[in-house]
Amino acid sequence: MKGIQISQYVSGPQDMKVTTLSDPVPNPDQYTIAIHATACNFYDLLQIRGKYQHQPPLPWVSGSEFSGTIIATPSSPSPKAGGSWKYKKGDKVFGAAQGGYAETVCAVEQQLRPVPKGWDFFEAAGLFITMPTSYAGLVTRCNLKAGDWVLVHAAAGGVGLAAVQIAKALGATVIATAGTQHKLDVAKRFGADHLVDYKDEGWPQKVKQLTPKGRGVDIVYDPVGLIDKSTKCTAWNGRLLVVGFAGGPIEKVPTNKMLLKNISIVGVHWGAYSTNEPEAIVEVWDRLFELFESKKVRGTNFLDKEYVGLEKVPEALKALGERDTWGKVVVKVPQSGQAKM
């Protein structure tokens, strides 16, 4: 197969090369999937430099999120009652497993979900991480309900556009922030009610003025690192959600601000649910599939430019790292024969 293998850490995506590799050998409990589309993530940029929290032993194939077709099922008996595996050969799936920048990948059942009805491989490739992160953050952690006012920072990003759509689908009013007019327009296209440029130093006051009687927002969704400033426009009993630190520095927030407004600051670490709270995963995905199939939530694929072929992965990752994209950047992976897109 073709794939992008990391034999030694590189300085950036420009050093990534597509080569011919041996097909991956699945463990007895793994499926083998022919990849039709693969999504780019910020953590891929960290991992290829050796700076991510999960670093496989060298050499390893880069990438993780993907969509594709099952070409082989596990060789071991299923541990479930009845002894049958969930997926069969030919099933369309999306998921995440180490090695997404390749034509073939191996994954266990928990790392896969069926492609939603009416969705194609391109749309499904970027679902596995961003959508449940946003749903779990807004609903499981912040108890979002109809009528809430929600501030979504970096709203045109992958998790941001997921959060905008989920909040709107559940009856909230959404204020979206971004740093360019184009990205604000994208957030509007995906359902945001109000738009604020967070490069304007006075953005907290503008957000507050948009809310009824200037009371502030009920929920702040923050993948950037703007919790401290967001306390200025948060309502009494507000919930501030820490999703990540795409802005760079990790904040230190004065705790008196939580006390004065009865504010809760919570985090969401979706990847850790599998070991700490696996029962929550099923609930989140069940609710998400209802939203997918009712068309209240759609794919957030970056469409300003098309990337076709694994050779385009470095270019796509470079654009992502330079903040030149919005939504989920997905690379189509043409396959030979029946696996072709």
Side-chain angles (χ1 to χ4, degrees), residues 173-209:
T173 300
V174 175
I175 302 174
T177 72
T180 68
Q181 187 58 51
H182 180 46
K183 289 184 177 181
L184 289 169
D185 292 342
V186 169
K188 181 75 171 176
R189 202 160 73 230
F190 278 82
D193 298 287
H194 305 281
L195 309 173
V196 174
D197 183 345
Y198 60 15
K199 287 185 177 176
D200 181 337
E201 282 297 315
W203 67 259
Q205 190 58 32
K206 290 185 177 181
V207 168
K208 195 171 181 180
Q209 289 169 354

Side-chain angles (χ1 to χ4, degrees), residues 57-318:
L58 293 165
W60 43 268
V61 177
S62 186
S64 61
E65 273 190 297
F66 61 86
S67 63
T69 306
I70 301 285
I71 56 176
T73 56
S75 57
S76 66
S78 170
K80 293 180 291 188
S84 62
W85 292 98
K86 181 176 181 179
Y87 305 107
K88 61 183 185 299
K89 192 174 178 179
D91 283 353
K92 298 176 180 179
V93 295
F94 67 94
Q98 186 68 53
Y101 296 150
E103 292 179 327
T104 309
V105 70
C106 298
V108 297
E109 196 162 279
Q110 291 84 351
Q111 294 173 300
L112 302 171
R113 290 291 183 279
V115 171
K117 293 173 186 173
W119 290 54
D120 60 22
F121 289 121
F122 179 61
E123 294 171 308
L127 290 181
F128 196 77
I129 295 170
T130 52
M131 286 291 178
T133 295
S134 294
Y135 189 96
L138 290 170
V139 180
T140 311
R141 300 295 286 139
C142 290
N143 193 30
L144 182 147
K145 56 189 183 301
D148 280 343
W149 280 70
V150 180
L151 173 62
V152 179
H153 286 307
V159 290
L161 285 180
V164 168
Q165 292 188 87
I166 291 165
K168 285 298 297 177
L170 299 179
T173 300
V174 175
I175 302 174
T177 72
T180 68
Q181 187 58 51
H182 180 46
K183 289 184 177 181
L184 289 169
D185 292 342
V186 169
K188 181 75 171 176
R189 202 160 73 230
F190 278 82
D193 298 287
H194 305 281
L195 309 173
V196 174
D197 183 345
Y198 60 15
K199 287 185 177 176
D200 181 337
E201 282 297 315
W203 67 259
Q205 190 58 32
K206 290 185 177 181
V207 168
K208 195 171 181 180
Q209 289 169 354
L210 289 168
T211 62
K213 298 180 180 179
R215 67 179 180 85
V217 295
D218 301 291
I219 296 172
V220 176
Y221 183 96
D222 179 23
V224 182
L226 291 171
I227 292 293
D228 190 23
K229 286 186 178 179
S230 296
T231 60
K232 297 177 182 177
C233 56
T234 304
W236 172 260
N237 278 337
R239 289 88 74 199
L240 291 91
L241 180 74
V242 179
V243 184
F245 312 99
I250 295 175
E251 289 183 280
K252 294 177 175 61
V253 182
T255 52
N256 66 310
K257 296 186 177 184
M258 295 169 237
L259 182 146
L260 294 173
K261 286 188 178 179
N262 231 35
I263 289 172
S264 300
I265 298 180
V266 298
V268 62
H269 183 180
W270 177 247
Y273 270 81
S274 59
T275 53
N276 294 294
E277 205 177 335
E279 65 278 5
I281 295 175
V282 176
E283 171 72 14
V284 167
W285 277 116
D286 284 349
R287 300 290 80 78
L288 277 172
F289 269 85
E290 291 172 5
L291 295 175
F292 296 157
E293 292 177 8
S294 66
K295 295 183 168 40
K296 290 181 178 178
V297 170
R298 57 193 171 102
T300 61
N301 297 65
F302 177 69
L303 299 175
D304 293 1
K305 183 170 184 175
E306 187 178 43
Y307 299 100
V308 181
L310 291 170
E311 292 78 10
K312 294 294 184 181
V313 166
E315 181 185 342
L317 273 175
K318 183 174 182 288

